[in-house]
Amino acid sequence: MTVEKLIQEAKSGEIKFVRLQITDINGMLKNVEVPSKMLPQILEKGAMFDGSSIDGFVRIEESDMYLKPDVNTYATLPWDGNQGKTVRLICDVFKPDGSPFEGDPRYVLKKVIERASKLGYEAFAGPEPEFFIIKREKDCVGPNGRFLDMGSYFDLLPVDGGEEVRKKIVLSLQEMGFEVEAAHHEVAPSQHEIDFRYTDILKTADNIQTFKWVVKTISIVNGLHATFMPKPFEGVAGSGMHVHLSLFSKGRNAFYDPESEHGLSEVALNFIGGIIAHAKEITAITNPTINSYKRLLPGFEAPVNISWALGNRSAMIRIPSAREEATRLEFRSPDPTCNPYLALALALAAGLDGIENKITPPNPVDENIFDMKGSRKKQLMIDNLPQSLWHALEYTKVSEFVKAVLGQHIFSTFIRARESDWSEFGAAVTSWEVKKYMDLY
């Protein structure tokens, strides 16, 4: 899509409405809908909005901000055509003086991409977001009455509501330009995964936000509820968002070296070393909710150990077996509640830091870490990821690395928001406490 073609479609009446979208610091997608006749003016000058009304943006006395659409994010909404075609454009946020707004998560990722480019690299990413499609609250019966099935990984089930909705989600994504590679049932009952093709890291972050929006919208239209909550049910696997990362230089995969022992270049090893070195301090951003840490527990396939491996899925970073142009690493600890712009910015920046400072990772682990005893972990120098949001914040708050990547505005706002979540959680009386103590005491 070009600016000229977009304006032509708007003037011809082919487009009726335009949704201008941004993401707040908490990873929530926001939008304003405008008539298509406004599009030429918005593409030239931007659309003014009240930044003080968006979480983590600016104070009321600094509220005037501008949305400038990125025409490369053009997509038609497949479910919203009854009154004419509606299109979506993701926007960058600018201040009245025309400078980029430092509190825009998309701008944070763009800065790290620019840093990679100066080092001679182009970054690519491919996510694997997991989610549950379940009954709405009013239709529930029993403790797990929200499940639609009792299937597990790759199960071929009798066609049910969840399976049908998953197909409709895939069709909607394809209409919006996604290259869907696979869709399947995941490990837990009513849990699903849809994988879409890797692309440059900025487009991947845009795609993650669009993907979550489509999944939730199509589920609602079909009378169901989709959740990306990391651990909505006890006793079953939670939902993660494994992210595949690679760097290219001069059109070639910079992670591949046919002469090395494992086919991994020094660049790849240093990139792994950087993520491992910064793992604890970035976890509050890659796993930003109280519930995130209910997933990061032993026994449910989620990585809880800071380690890397060749093919071994019990490690935090896994190297899939594909080599040459498909050489990549799989970062397995993030979950889909993260702000993808901030999470990918920090993962990329950590890897680049490893390259610049030649950080050597520990040896890869070829044993099942899930079953490994503490003494063996100590011998192999395998550390643990933070075990709660508060624990993770303790590392983030003192991290000059995270502050430098996010910028002071987002860094301080993010910390305050997560500390507020923790305080609110600490004051809440949970159903577990009532069940445990009410009759006992």
Side-chain angles (χ1 to χ4, degrees):
M1 179 58 62
T2 64
V3 171
E4 292 76 17
K5 186 177 179 182
L6 189 55
I7 291 174
Q8 183 181 351
E9 284 192 9
K11 288 182 176 179
S12 69
E14 186 177 346
I15 299 172
K16 296 297 183 182
F17 296 97
V18 180
R19 291 196 181 199
L20 305 175
Q21 295 182 336
I22 56 173
T23 297
D24 70 15
I25 288 176
N26 294 319
M28 297 295 107
L29 195 63
K30 306 288 185 179
N31 86 174
V32 59
E33 189 172 70
V34 298
S36 59
K37 68 178 182 180
M38 298 297 297
L39 194 52
Q41 177 183 330
I42 289 170
L43 289 170
E44 180 183 355
K45 299 180 179 179
M48 192 171 73
F49 74 104
D50 178 7
S52 67
S53 297
I54 305 295
D55 279 349
F57 271 30
V58 292
R59 298 170 295 181
I60 195 164
E61 65 270 25
E62 308 165 319
S63 58
D64 287 348
M65 310 290 288
Y66 287 84
L67 302 175
K68 293 192 177 179
D70 180 346
V71 296
N72 293 315
T73 64
Y74 171 96
T76 303
L77 306 192
W79 62 82
D80 200 10
N82 291 335
Q83 296 175 317
K85 186 163 80 171
T86 299
V87 302
R88 182 286 312 272
L89 294 169
I90 293 174
C91 299
D92 295 302
V93 184
F94 288 82
K95 295 186 286 191
D97 64 4
S99 60
F101 173 49
E102 61 275 13
D104 177 10
R106 200 168 189 260
Y107 174 61
V108 170
L109 179 55
K110 281 187 166 185
K111 287 195 299 179
V112 183
I113 291 170
E114 184 179 357
R115 176 182 165 194
S117 180
K118 288 179 179 178
L119 293 172
Y121 299 113
E122 186 178 3
F124 288 81
E128 297 177 353
E130 298 167 339
F131 57 96
F132 286 82
I133 300 176
I134 54 179
K135 297 176 185 176
R136 292 188 183 180
E137 194 70 50
K138 62 182 176 62
D139 301 319
C140 298
V141 178
N144 287 328
R146 302 190 77 171
F147 287 158
L148 292 173
D149 64 65
M150 293 305 295
S152 59
Y153 192 69
F154 266 38
D155 267 2
L156 179 63
L157 301 171
V159 175
D160 59 29
E163 206 169 353
E164 283 297 295
V165 170
R166 192 178 72 211
K167 291 178 185 176
K168 293 176 181 178
I169 291 168
V170 169
L171 292 172
S172 294
L173 290 169
Q174 289 175 328
E175 286 186 53
M176 295 181 75
F178 277 65
E179 293 184 63
V180 176
E181 295 189 327
H184 60 85
H185 199 285
E186 257 298 337
V187 173
S190 295
Q191 190 183 35
H192 302 266
E193 178 178 308
I194 297 172
D195 300 330
F196 43 94
R197 186 171 175 80
Y198 79 96
T199 184
D200 70 84
I201 199 166
L202 179 63
K203 186 174 181 180
T204 293
D206 291 337
N207 283 346
I208 291 169
Q209 290 297 80
T210 302
F211 175 82
K212 291 196 285 187
W213 177 40
V214 171
V215 168
K216 294 183 81 68
T217 299
I218 299 302
S219 297
I220 289 170
V221 168
N222 286 274
L224 297 172
H225 178 73
T227 180
F228 290 91
M229 183 178 177
K231 189 78 167 184
F233 303 105
E234 294 179 25
V236 299
S239 293
M241 188 178 73
H242 306 163
V243 179
H244 294 253
L245 295 164
S246 61
L247 293 181
F248 278 69
S249 179
K250 298 179 181 178
R252 302 297 300 273
N253 191 318
F255 282 0
Y256 177 59
D257 180 0
E259 304 300 321
S260 68
E261 182 181 0
H262 303 299
L264 297 176
S265 67
E266 184 179 357
V267 168
L269 294 174
N270 291 156
F271 196 97
I272 293 167
I275 293 181
I276 287 177
H278 294 294
K280 288 186 177 182
E281 58 202 292
I282 70 175
T283 296
I285 292 86
T286 59
N287 307 80
T289 67
I290 302 287
N291 185 255
S292 296
Y293 299 85
K294 303 296 176 71
R295 167 184 167 256
L296 294 178
L297 292 172
F300 294 99
E301 298 194 3
V304 297
N305 304 286
I306 302 173
S307 56
W308 75 285
L310 300 162
N312 184 351
R313 281 179 160 79
S314 65
M316 183 187 74
I317 295 174
R318 185 179 80 92
I319 308 300
S321 59
R323 288 295 180 267
E324 298 186 7
E325 296 307 285
T327 308
R328 63 196 187 275
L329 65 85
E330 180 185 9
F331 185 24
R332 295 173 59 81
S333 57
D335 70 55
T337 61
C338 71
N339 183 320
Y341 299 103
L342 302 184
L344 291 177
L346 283 166
L348 176 57
L352 295 177
D353 188 59
I355 293 170
E356 289 182 297
N357 292 293
K358 298 192 178 300
I359 298 175
T360 302
N363 292 326
V365 180
D366 58 5
E367 303 172 42
N368 186 341
I369 309 174
F370 293 146
D371 297 332
M372 193 179 289
K373 293 183 178 179
S375 57
R376 180 60 174 158
K377 289 183 184 179
K378 188 174 182 181
Q379 183 182 3
L380 295 175
M381 296 185 292
I382 298 174
D383 206 349
N384 294 324
L385 286 168
Q387 296 177 327
S388 70
L389 180 59
W390 184 259
H391 188 199
L393 286 171
E394 290 297 289
Y395 289 102
T396 303
K397 286 190 291 188
V398 297
S399 173
E400 292 301 321
F401 166 77
V402 174
K403 185 187 293 185
V405 174
L406 300 186
Q408 182 63 54
H409 180 95
I410 288 183
F411 180 80
S412 58
T413 305
F414 182 89
I415 295 293
R416 283 197 305 270
R418 301 291 76 78
E419 287 181 333
S420 176
D421 287 349
W422 186 261
S423 296
E424 187 178 336
F425 174 67
V429 178
T430 66
S431 58
W432 181 90
E433 293 168 277
V434 173
K435 182 179 177 181
K436 180 78 173 179
Y437 302 124
M438 179 73 80
D439 294 334
L440 183 62
Y441 293 103

